[in-house]
Amino acid sequence: MKPHTHGGLAGLLRMMRGRYRLLAMAVFSGVLAQSGTLACMAIGAWIVGIALAGEAALLPVACGWLALLVLLTAAARWWQAWVSHDLAFALIEKLQMAIFDGLERSAPGTADGQRLGDLASVATADAELMERFYAHTLADYTGAIVVPLAVLIALWQFDPLLAGVLLPFLLLVATVPVWLARRAALQGQQVKTEQGQLNADTVEFIHGQRELAAFGQARGYVQRLIQRTQSLGRMQQRYGSRSGLEFAAVDALSAGAVLALIAATSTLLHAGSLSPLWLPLVLVLGVGALLPIVDVTQTASQLGELRAGAARIMRIIDYSARVNDSGHAALPDRHNLAFSAVRFGYAAQRPVLRGLSATIGPGEIVALAGRSGAGKSTLTHLLLRFYEVESGAITVGGVDIRSLPLAALHQLISWVPQEVYLFNGSVADNIRLGGPDASPQQIEEVAKMAQAHDFISALPDGYHSACGENGNRFSGGQRQRIAIARALLTGAPVLILDEASASLDNENERAFHQALFSLRHKRTILLIAHRPATLRHADRILLLENGEIAESGSHDALMATGGKYAALIKKVAAD
Ligand SMILES: Nc1ncnc2c1ncn2[C@@H]1O[C@H](COP(=O)(O)OP(=O)(O)OP(=O)(O)O)[C@@H](O)[C@H]1O
Ligand SMILES: [Mg+2]
């Protein structure tokens, strides 16, 4: 996995590509609204000045201007809200799609060892947090530069002293978030990490409720969750108190700016170089210049959390693909499998397969046997290209699976995993994963072969019954039979069954074997099994040991030689 090389915020900006028009409108409307607010305040102050100076003739004109500006400012505010949220939601949608894309690309290995609940919170909560960035941050920052500059120029017209007095305060206020930026970034990261972990713990708690209850550990787990929540609370408090410090500093500096302006204007009044008519206007302009900067410091105080969230998002978006899907070989029309000198391990220095070689003829039924942890499931994962072999090659019909497009490979091979996952939909929908266009008759047909039809038809809603989350409404054997039906529906010429009949009772197992072996010569079948009843039916058995095929032959032949396979079967029989 390549390390995350650029800051999260740069990544957020990258997402704006193609939306520059909307972005420009958001920024322009934001600056327009801020300038409008300032202009309204300025005209109000001018009216006060006119009234104080007794120049009644100017009043109607001034009031007319004010009314017009108030309307324009309101329109600009409305426009800004509309455009900026439009922009924000479009970009968040893009962000979320990129996150899902990254997750898919790195699948099916759990993304970089991250926890599911943590990933889920990145895809939802963190992504939504970015609304603030896209809707406000850029427009606010632009306003914070444009508006104070305009004010400085206006004040300069009255007297350079006024601009000179205000400038240092503007600069100081603008740097407040920078003083505490490192702390903000660190605290933001802590808060985000802790939030992700809490989310992951909560998801795990809900998943594992039965285990916790059965082993009497629910209370203890809840206690840990409470502790996590409290520690998150403390972090958020620290984060908040730092923001509080920033607000206090900004308030103090703003008050200082007003005092300095008052001192400067009274000097100018005294010297007679400023008419009292302009006094209210000058003070209001000074305050007005500060407002957009104060706005920005508030946005900036949340920048720590934003950056941490953005970095978490970009890490997923930048996930590299687990396998390279650039092959474009045509589908082979023979369906024999060959493993030649396959080496693979999940971690360095811990090989699982050490140069395994084996062949499976087209239409042959081969059983893979071996101790638990020998690497049987791993071999099927390599065949499906969930992982890439380290060296050696796997071919189907003589074509290296790396030169086939992944989608084509998955058309060629259907798979019943050792641990079945059912989605929270109907039984029919779960089977239809193997063929989205299948008719109800076809679904029933494969369910019959998988010995699933009888129990499915006995359900209150038959094939429309809901499976529950991860199929929790069904027994292990029922789940497995639904998964078998799903795999059969694909009609793929190669079928892999990883302990598919392990949870079936004798009667169902016998019936399933009959159905399976009726596919002899029609499909190439690799089945992983422990039970002699299953193994006996295979054309050939491969015994996997120490990362290699240690023995190969029919059940009877291997039993007769009395080697490792015979010993393994005797042990199973004795258990
Ligand atoms: N995702 C993974 N990450 C790291 N190690 C793994 C992973 N999956 C499996 N292993 C390790 O690889 C080895 C082979 O596992 P595998 O699941 O292939 O065994 P198996 O022969 O299918 O066993 P069983 O009969 O119990 O299903 C085991 O030592 C296991 O600990
Ligand atoms: Mg296994």
Side-chain angles (χ1 to χ4, degrees):
M1 191 68 41
K2 79 178 178 199
H4 189 73
T5 45
H6 55 71
L9 294 186
L12 291 184
L13 291 173
R14 196 177 64 181
M15 283 285 139
M16 290 187 170
R17 209 171 290 156
R19 305 268 174 184
Y20 293 131
R21 222 170 63 94
L22 204 56
L23 176 66
M25 284 209 301
V27 171
F28 179 66
S29 59
V31 174
L32 204 63
Q34 280 176 333
S35 315
T37 306
L38 182 68
C40 289
M41 286 166 61
I43 293 200
W46 184 40
I47 292 173
V48 173
I50 292 169
L52 286 180
E55 306 224 15
L58 283 172
L59 270 180
V61 182
C63 289
W65 273 111
L66 184 60
L68 185 67
L69 267 174
V70 166
L71 281 178
L72 282 178
T73 307
R77 286 247 173 253
W78 176 78
W79 187 36
Q80 183 208 5
W82 187 65
V83 174
S84 60
H85 289 100
D86 227 30
L87 174 73
F89 290 120
L91 290 173
I92 286 167
E93 193 185 301
K94 197 167 158 190
L95 212 54
Q96 276 172 326
M97 287 195 300
I99 292 173
F100 296 139
D101 221 45
L103 289 175
E104 195 208 340
R105 209 174 324 123
S106 70
T110 341
D112 202 18
Q114 278 201 63
R115 300 173 65 190
L116 298 181
D118 192 25
L119 288 174
S121 75
V122 174
T124 53
D126 288 358
E128 271 161 36
L129 189 65
M130 299 307 132
E131 191 264 342
R132 235 186 271 162
F133 177 79
Y134 286 131
H136 304 290
T137 310
L138 279 177
D140 285 2
Y141 272 88
T142 315
I145 294 169
V146 174
V147 172
L149 263 181
V151 168
L152 282 176
I153 292 171
L155 288 181
W156 188 278
Q157 304 299 320
F158 287 107
D159 196 301
L161 176 68
L162 294 173
V165 161
L166 186 62
L167 183 63
F169 285 98
L170 293 180
L171 292 178
L172 273 177
V173 174
T175 57
V176 166
V178 180
W179 306 348
L180 299 167
R182 262 181 69 86
R183 229 161 94 196
L186 194 69
Q187 288 176 339
Q189 199 184 11
Q190 281 175 342
V191 167
K192 279 277 134 219
T193 308
E194 192 65 16
Q195 266 172 351
Q197 289 304 319
L198 179 63
N199 208 41
D201 279 352
T202 310
V203 168
E204 212 164 60
F205 172 63
I206 296 166
H207 268 300
Q209 258 175 347
R210 279 197 266 191
E211 277 74 5
L212 291 173
F215 292 95
Q217 299 297 329
R219 212 42 251 157
Y221 201 97
V222 168
Q223 215 58 49
R224 285 222 302 282
L225 277 182
I226 292 174
Q227 275 167 10
R228 268 231 129 101
T229 311
Q230 286 168 338
S231 111
L232 176 62
R234 280 193 296 274
M235 284 177 191
Q236 278 169 329
Q237 245 166 19
R238 276 200 295 276
Y239 188 83
S241 66
R242 193 215 67 250
S243 311
L245 204 64
E246 291 185 7
F247 294 150
V250 168
D251 280 350
L253 284 171
S254 307
V258 174
L259 284 178
L261 268 181
I262 290 176
T265 42
S266 52
T267 317
L268 292 176
L269 282 176
H270 225 71
S273 52
L274 184 73
S275 146
L277 174 74
W278 301 113
L279 180 62
L281 179 60
V282 166
L283 289 179
V284 159
L285 280 179
V287 173
L290 282 164
L291 283 181
I293 302 187
V294 173
D295 271 357
V296 161
T297 57
Q298 290 190 354
T299 312
S301 80
Q302 297 158 343
L303 220 51
E305 209 182 340
L306 267 175
R307 283 172 62 165
R312 280 156 57 86
I313 290 174
M314 291 307 147
R315 213 164 86 89
I316 297 183
I317 289 182
D318 291 346
Y319 271 159
S320 51
R322 189 165 287 272
V323 296
N324 172 5
D325 185 14
S326 62
H328 46 260
L331 279 179
D333 44 17
R334 267 170 63 84
H335 303 114
N336 54 321
L337 307 179
F339 299 87
S340 48
V342 170
R343 287 184 168 275
F344 175 77
Y346 294 95
Q349 314 299 334
R350 298 202 54 193
V352 177
L353 302 177
R354 310 160 191 252
L356 176 145
S357 293
T359 56
I360 301 173
E364 200 181 10
I365 299 182
V366 169
L368 191 61
R371 253 179 259 283
S372 173
K376 303 181 296 294
S377 298
T378 302
L379 192 66
T380 67
H381 295 164
L382 292 177
L383 185 55
L384 289 158
R385 276 190 92 201
F386 292 164
Y387 303 93
E388 209 81 285
V389 297
E390 275 161 26
S391 68
I394 303 175
T395 59
V396 180
V399 179
D400 192 315
I401 55 171
R402 281 169 294 198
S403 58
L404 284 169
L406 278 179
L409 180 69
H410 295 152
Q411 248 178 350
L412 217 53
I413 302 174
S414 62
W415 172 59
V416 181
Q418 187 165 18
E419 277 167 38
V420 169
Y421 190 90
L422 296 185
F423 289 86
N424 184 23
S426 69
V427 174
D429 283 346
N430 267 287
I431 296 178
R432 209 173 273 126
L433 208 63
D437 306 321
S439 67
Q441 287 74 26
Q442 287 171 311
I443 288 179
E444 216 176 286
E445 207 174 296
V446 290
K448 276 184 183 143
M449 273 186 84
Q451 309 305 314
H453 177 69
D454 289 347
F455 90 81
I456 297 173
S457 357
L459 295 169
D461 292 321
Y463 281 82
H464 300 296
S465 310
C467 291
E469 195 141 329
N470 192 14
N472 61 14
R473 301 233 178 115
F474 294 126
S475 75
Q478 288 171 334
R479 275 203 291 270
Q480 236 166 9
R481 279 176 280 167
I482 294 175
I484 293 171
R486 178 195 277 173
L488 290 173
L489 185 64
T490 66
V494 180
L495 182 59
I496 304 172
L497 300 140
D498 195 345
E499 307 271 8
S501 53
S503 330
L504 302 189
D505 57 35
N506 285 339
E507 194 185 335
N508 270 321
E509 191 184 19
R510 209 168 309 123
F512 169 61
H513 283 156
Q514 246 169 21
L516 187 65
F517 293 115
S518 73
L519 294 174
R520 199 185 293 264
H521 308 309
K522 296 193 192 105
R523 309 246 183 125
T524 306
I525 299 175
L526 176 63
L527 58 90
I528 295 173
H530 277 117
R531 293 196 210 166
T534 314
L535 293 165
R536 195 171 289 134
H537 287 92
D539 294 329
R540 210 148 47 87
I541 289 160
L542 302 173
L543 179 72
L544 179 54
E545 200 175 89
N546 291 325
E548 290 174 330
I549 301 300
E551 291 177 11
S552 156
S554 74
H555 175 79
D556 293 337
L558 288 181
M559 288 307 281
T561 47
K564 290 172 178 165
Y565 175 76
L568 185 75
I569 293 297
K570 288 207 180 90
K571 197 168 150 287
V572 173
D575 283 345

Short mmCIF file of all heavy atoms in Angstrom, two decimals, residues 371 543 545 551 558-559 561-575:
data_model
loop_
_atom_site.label_atom_id
_atom_site.label_comp_id
_atom_site.label_asym_id
_atom_site.label_seq_id
_atom_site.Cartn_x
_atom_site.Cartn_y
_atom_site.Cartn_z
N ARG A 371 -5.11 -30.74 6.23
CA ARG A 371 -5.36 -30.24 7.57
C ARG A 371 -5.96 -28.83 7.56
O ARG A 371 -5.75 -28.10 6.59
CB ARG A 371 -4.02 -30.13 8.29
CG ARG A 371 -3.74 -31.13 9.33
CD ARG A 371 -2.35 -30.82 9.88
NE ARG A 371 -1.37 -31.73 9.30
CZ ARG A 371 -1.25 -33.00 9.70
NH1 ARG A 371 -2.02 -33.47 10.66
NH2 ARG A 371 -0.35 -33.78 9.16
N LEU A 543 -3.88 -34.07 -1.91
CA LEU A 543 -3.64 -33.80 -0.50
C LEU A 543 -2.65 -32.64 -0.39
O LEU A 543 -1.53 -32.71 -0.89
CB LEU A 543 -3.08 -35.04 0.20
CG LEU A 543 -2.79 -34.80 1.69
CD1 LEU A 543 -4.08 -34.70 2.49
CD2 LEU A 543 -1.89 -35.89 2.25
N GLU A 545 -0.22 -30.41 1.72
CA GLU A 545 0.51 -30.40 2.99
C GLU A 545 1.80 -29.61 2.81
O GLU A 545 2.47 -29.74 1.78
CB GLU A 545 0.81 -31.83 3.42
CG GLU A 545 1.13 -31.92 4.90
CD GLU A 545 1.31 -33.37 5.35
OE1 GLU A 545 2.45 -33.85 5.28
OE2 GLU A 545 0.33 -33.98 5.75
N GLU A 551 0.14 -35.82 -1.98
CA GLU A 551 -0.31 -37.07 -2.59
C GLU A 551 -1.43 -36.76 -3.55
O GLU A 551 -2.16 -35.78 -3.38
CB GLU A 551 -0.83 -38.04 -1.51
CG GLU A 551 0.28 -38.57 -0.61
CD GLU A 551 -0.24 -39.47 0.50
OE1 GLU A 551 -1.45 -39.85 0.46
OE2 GLU A 551 0.54 -39.80 1.40
N LEU A 558 -5.45 -44.11 -2.68
CA LEU A 558 -4.66 -43.46 -1.62
C LEU A 558 -4.82 -44.22 -0.30
O LEU A 558 -3.86 -44.33 0.47
CB LEU A 558 -5.10 -42.01 -1.45
CG LEU A 558 -4.68 -41.05 -2.57
CD1 LEU A 558 -5.15 -39.64 -2.25
CD2 LEU A 558 -3.17 -41.06 -2.76
N MET A 559 -6.02 -44.72 -0.04
CA MET A 559 -6.23 -45.48 1.20
C MET A 559 -5.37 -46.76 1.15
O MET A 559 -4.79 -47.17 2.15
CB MET A 559 -7.71 -45.86 1.36
CG MET A 559 -8.62 -44.69 1.71
SD MET A 559 -8.09 -43.76 3.14
CE MET A 559 -8.63 -44.80 4.48
N THR A 561 -2.53 -47.26 -0.39
CA THR A 561 -1.09 -47.05 -0.19
C THR A 561 -0.75 -46.77 1.27
O THR A 561 0.39 -46.89 1.68
CB THR A 561 -0.55 -45.89 -1.04
OG1 THR A 561 -1.44 -44.79 -0.87
CG2 THR A 561 -0.43 -46.24 -2.51
N GLY A 562 -1.78 -46.36 2.05
CA GLY A 562 -1.54 -46.15 3.48
C GLY A 562 -0.60 -45.00 3.78
O GLY A 562 0.20 -45.07 4.71
N GLY A 563 -0.66 -43.94 3.00
CA GLY A 563 0.21 -42.79 3.22
C GLY A 563 -0.43 -41.73 4.12
O GLY A 563 -1.22 -42.05 5.03
N LYS A 564 -0.08 -40.48 3.86
CA LYS A 564 -0.55 -39.37 4.71
C LYS A 564 -2.05 -39.19 4.61
O LYS A 564 -2.71 -38.86 5.59
CB LYS A 564 0.13 -38.07 4.26
CG LYS A 564 1.61 -38.06 4.60
CD LYS A 564 2.27 -36.86 3.98
CE LYS A 564 3.74 -36.81 4.36
NZ LYS A 564 4.47 -35.88 3.51
N TYR A 565 -2.59 -39.38 3.37
CA TYR A 565 -4.03 -39.22 3.20
C TYR A 565 -4.77 -40.26 4.04
O TYR A 565 -5.72 -39.93 4.76
CB TYR A 565 -4.40 -39.36 1.72
CG TYR A 565 -5.89 -39.32 1.46
CD1 TYR A 565 -6.57 -38.11 1.51
CD2 TYR A 565 -6.60 -40.49 1.20
CE1 TYR A 565 -7.94 -38.08 1.28
CE2 TYR A 565 -7.96 -40.46 0.97
CZ TYR A 565 -8.64 -39.25 1.00
OH TYR A 565 -9.99 -39.21 0.79
N ALA A 566 -4.31 -41.49 3.98
CA ALA A 566 -4.95 -42.56 4.75
C ALA A 566 -4.91 -42.22 6.24
O ALA A 566 -5.90 -42.40 6.96
CB ALA A 566 -4.25 -43.88 4.47
N ALA A 567 -3.77 -41.67 6.68
CA ALA A 567 -3.65 -41.31 8.10
C ALA A 567 -4.64 -40.20 8.46
O ALA A 567 -5.29 -40.25 9.51
CB ALA A 567 -2.22 -40.84 8.38
N LEU A 568 -4.79 -39.21 7.54
CA LEU A 568 -5.71 -38.10 7.80
C LEU A 568 -7.15 -38.60 7.90
O LEU A 568 -7.90 -38.23 8.80
CB LEU A 568 -5.59 -37.06 6.67
CG LEU A 568 -6.40 -35.78 6.83
CD1 LEU A 568 -5.74 -34.87 7.86
CD2 LEU A 568 -6.52 -35.04 5.50
N ILE A 569 -7.52 -39.50 6.98
CA ILE A 569 -8.89 -40.02 6.96
C ILE A 569 -9.15 -40.87 8.20
O ILE A 569 -10.21 -40.78 8.83
CB ILE A 569 -9.13 -40.87 5.68
CG1 ILE A 569 -9.08 -39.97 4.45
CG2 ILE A 569 -10.45 -41.61 5.76
CD1 ILE A 569 -10.16 -38.91 4.42
N LYS A 570 -8.15 -41.64 8.61
CA LYS A 570 -8.33 -42.47 9.81
C LYS A 570 -8.56 -41.58 11.02
O LYS A 570 -9.36 -41.87 11.89
CB LYS A 570 -7.09 -43.35 10.03
CG LYS A 570 -7.01 -44.48 9.00
CD LYS A 570 -6.25 -45.69 9.54
CE LYS A 570 -6.19 -46.78 8.47
NZ LYS A 570 -4.98 -46.66 7.61
N LYS A 571 -7.84 -40.44 11.04
CA LYS A 571 -7.99 -39.52 12.17
C LYS A 571 -9.40 -38.93 12.18
O LYS A 571 -10.04 -38.83 13.22
CB LYS A 571 -6.95 -38.40 12.05
CG LYS A 571 -6.73 -37.65 13.34
CD LYS A 571 -5.52 -36.77 13.25
CE LYS A 571 -5.67 -35.54 14.13
NZ LYS A 571 -6.61 -34.55 13.62
N VAL A 572 -9.90 -38.55 10.97
CA VAL A 572 -11.25 -37.99 10.87
C VAL A 572 -12.26 -39.03 11.34
O VAL A 572 -13.19 -38.73 12.08
CB VAL A 572 -11.57 -37.56 9.41
CG1 VAL A 572 -13.03 -37.15 9.29
CG2 VAL A 572 -10.67 -36.43 8.98
N ALA A 573 -12.05 -40.29 10.90
CA ALA A 573 -12.99 -41.35 11.25
C ALA A 573 -12.97 -41.60 12.75
O ALA A 573 -14.01 -41.88 13.36
CB ALA A 573 -12.62 -42.62 10.48
N ALA A 574 -11.80 -41.48 13.36
CA ALA A 574 -11.68 -41.74 14.80
C ALA A 574 -12.36 -40.66 15.63
O ALA A 574 -12.82 -40.91 16.73
CB ALA A 574 -10.21 -41.87 15.18
N ASP A 575 -12.44 -39.44 15.09
CA ASP A 575 -12.96 -38.30 15.88
C ASP A 575 -14.45 -38.43 16.18
O ASP A 575 -15.25 -38.66 15.37
CB ASP A 575 -12.72 -36.99 15.11
CG ASP A 575 -11.26 -36.58 15.25
OD1 ASP A 575 -10.58 -37.14 16.13
OD2 ASP A 575 -10.80 -35.72 14.47
#
